[in-house]
Amino acid sequence: MQQARPRPHVTTVDPIWSSINAEAAAIADSEPSLSGLMVATILNHSDFESALAFRLAQRLDHQDLTADLIRQAFENAMAVDPEIGAGARADLAATLERDPACHRAIEPLLYFKGYQAVQTHRFAHSLWTAGRRDFALYLQSRSSQVFQVDIHPRVTIGRGIMIDHGTGVVVGETATIGDHVSILQGVTLGGTGKQDGDRHPKVGSGVLIGAGAKVLGNISIGCCAKIAAGSVVLKNVPEKMTVAGVPAKVIGPAGCAQPASNMDQTLSAGDSA
């Protein structure tokens, strides 16, 4: 009788984590003053998710709530909600693809506060939905202090989100953000008054929101729309269209199939606001 052959050992391949490890080792070699940071933040960890929890906890560390307690909460959250890690990976890939100032996978994880703010929100949202609302609100407050990005923990967001630069971004409690959305600095997804209930924008997938744009009220931003910088949007925006102005109005098609990925924030010669 022929004996069954032993199954070959299968090694899991993680391209993002492999790239980050190689880049951390290169930084440690070329910049010895940062070698301790590379070891503690990247090289001492077995996977991307562990390094993410560690890095965010260190950034959010405060005497009110120490990094160790924050990290423990984050690791517990990821154990029951794998979407956190999946979303963080997609966001990192989106940043590497869309941001011309991002040249290595390690950069958003270590340095980009827009990326770090979105990942902090992913943890806060998971804690919010699990009923740990005070912890989630604390994270919102601390993230706003550290990263200058204020996203209510109730907000639902998709994968492949890039908040470029981040400073001054505000997203209200009942807003939603779809997949593959790009948001520039100074953007507000807010309400129009003090009414309670569902009162914030619903942003579809593939949307590009330019710097300083204000999108206000319980309105819909159609998939693959483009909102020009500095616009004040008070009405629904159709899919695949560009809006601009104060107040914003439709000025033409979005100009490409995926504005969030294309990142073209210019208006064509024939457009006018």
Side-chain angles (χ1 to χ4, degrees):
M1 180 183 295
Q2 185 178 8
Q3 291 185 334
R5 294 190 218 173
R7 292 185 179 181
H9 178 70
V10 178
T11 302
T12 301
V13 177
D14 187 343
I16 287 179
W17 182 235
S18 296
S19 293
I20 290 172
N21 265 274
E23 290 158 2
I27 292 170
D29 287 341
S30 65
E31 188 62 72
S33 59
L34 292 178
S35 60
L37 175 64
M38 296 304 112
V39 170
T41 305
I42 306 297
L43 300 175
N44 269 355
H45 299 276
S46 61
D47 55 42
F48 170 78
E49 286 76 8
S50 175
L52 175 68
F54 182 88
R55 181 57 174 162
L56 294 180
Q58 292 298 313
R59 295 299 311 273
L60 298 167
D61 181 44
H62 190 269
Q63 61 185 4
D64 291 341
L65 196 60
T66 66
D68 286 341
L69 290 174
I70 295 172
R71 180 185 180 189
Q72 182 179 3
F74 286 0
E75 290 181 342
N76 291 341
M78 284 191 291
V80 298
D81 187 1
E83 177 58 28
I84 296 172
R89 288 167 176 271
D91 298 343
L92 191 148
T95 303
L96 190 58
E97 174 195 1
R98 301 173 202 167
D99 185 353
C102 182
H103 305 288
R104 298 169 297 174
I106 199 171
E107 291 171 6
L109 178 61
L110 288 184
Y111 309 126
F112 289 12
K113 62 190 179 71
Y115 176 81
Q116 293 169 349
V118 173
Q119 307 328 309
T120 300
H121 171 73
R122 291 191 182 281
F123 286 110
H125 180 70
S126 181
L127 292 167
W128 177 273
T129 57
R132 302 180 67 181
R133 295 193 170 187
D134 284 299
F135 202 136
L137 289 169
Y138 176 83
L139 289 175
Q140 176 195 3
S141 174
R142 186 73 182 130
S143 180
S144 180
Q145 289 178 312
V146 175
F147 306 127
Q148 296 86 52
V149 176
D150 194 332
I151 308 174
H152 193 281
R154 181 178 168 184
V155 173
T156 60
I157 63 174
R159 296 185 182 185
I161 307 301
M162 184 183 76
I163 296 183
D164 196 15
H165 300 291
T167 302
V169 170
V170 176
V171 183
E173 179 186 16
T174 61
T176 64
I177 300 173
D179 296 322
H180 309 298
V181 172
S182 294
I183 299 174
L184 278 293
Q185 68 272 15
V187 166
T188 297
L189 304 181
T192 57
K194 66 176 185 178
Q195 70 272 24
D196 200 358
D198 196 355
R199 60 196 184 278
H200 296 108
K202 312 299 181 282
V203 178
S205 296
V207 172
L208 170 62
I209 307 179
K214 313 303 176 187
V215 186
L216 306 177
N218 184 15
I219 59 176
S220 174
I221 310 302
C223 293
C224 300
K226 180 164 71 172
I227 298 174
S231 299
V232 177
V233 185
L234 302 173
K235 296 180 180 180
N236 293 341
V237 176
E239 293 186 359
K240 303 177 182 178
M241 301 301 288
T242 296
V243 298
V246 182
K249 62 181 181 180
V250 175
I251 62 170
C256 65
Q258 292 289 331
S261 297
N262 186 267
M263 292 297 291
D264 181 3
Q265 298 166 64
T266 63
L267 303 178
S268 66
D271 293 333
S272 63

